[in-house]
Amino acid sequence: MLRPDLAPLDAYLGDAASLSEAEFLERYPYPVLVIQEPSPDVMSRIRRPETVIQEVRTMTFDVDISRTNLGASLDALCLQARPRRGVASNRVSMGRSPDADVVLLDESVSRFHAELSWGASKERCVVTDLGAKNGTFVDGVRLSAHVRAELFSGSAVTFGSLAARFYSPSGFLAWLVAGAPRSGAAPA
């Protein structure tokens, strides 16, 4: 979550509008966790200078208007579930520890809270609770420690009290293209 290359929601929206499906999936090949309305404390720890408009210029884009998200709000944090160390892997660790692949900044999250794993296409994923004190929930059901649960694109996943939505790469693109951010970035 604190990676220097963390893309803001508006970057994903722009890419969803301007890239072909194949180009988008090549650029963003990993599953994504969408956290709606992150706390101000979390947002204050993330520097996003690329989202600040420095100068207004008139620009013309050749964009398919059917794939744009007019009126989109930017109140969601999108975390790619990819290995931190650049090693090709089919699993990532998630937790509060800076050594986790995906760092989740929430006091209710354990140092190493859960693990995501997937097959070659990254369209089918499994989450495993690593014995986290405050638990991992999938669609409201608490997982037992070290038990695996399959995730489907759009599944609600809660790590402690940190609520997120899971999206496969193609599911994430579909969510962006469908204009879900128009409704307050609620990843429903």
Side-chain angles (χ1 to χ4, degrees), residues 70-123:
L70 303 174
S73 72
L74 304 177
D75 57 351
L77 188 60
C78 304
L79 305 173
Q80 287 188 67
R82 61 183 167 87
R84 183 172 65 116
R85 293 169 185 86
V87 176
S89 176
N90 68 342
R91 65 185 63 227
V92 294
S93 61
M94 296 176 294
R96 208 176 63 242
S97 170
D99 294 327
D101 291 309
V102 178
V103 177
L104 302 173
L105 296 175
D106 189 280
E107 293 302 316
S108 68
V109 174
S110 296
R111 289 180 44 76
F112 288 96
H113 197 99
E115 180 179 84
L116 272 182
S117 57
W118 51 79
S121 72
K122 299 180 186 77
E123 291 298 317

Side-chain angles (χ1 to χ4, degrees), residues 30-34 79 81 122-123 125 151-155 157 164-176 180 185-188:
Y30 290 97
V32 176
L33 294 172
V34 176
L79 305 173
K122 299 180 186 77
E123 291 298 317
C125 292
L151 295 175
F152 300 95
S153 210
S155 291
V157 184
R165 286 273 176 192
F166 165 84
Y167 289 100
S168 66
S170 62
F172 181 57
L173 175 60
W175 175 71
L176 292 168

Side-chain angles (χ1 to χ4, degrees), residues 13-29:
L13 289 168
D15 286 346
S18 64
L19 299 175
S20 71
E21 180 177 357
E23 292 169 324
F24 185 91
L25 295 176
E26 183 178 327
R27 183 172 291 177
Y28 306 109

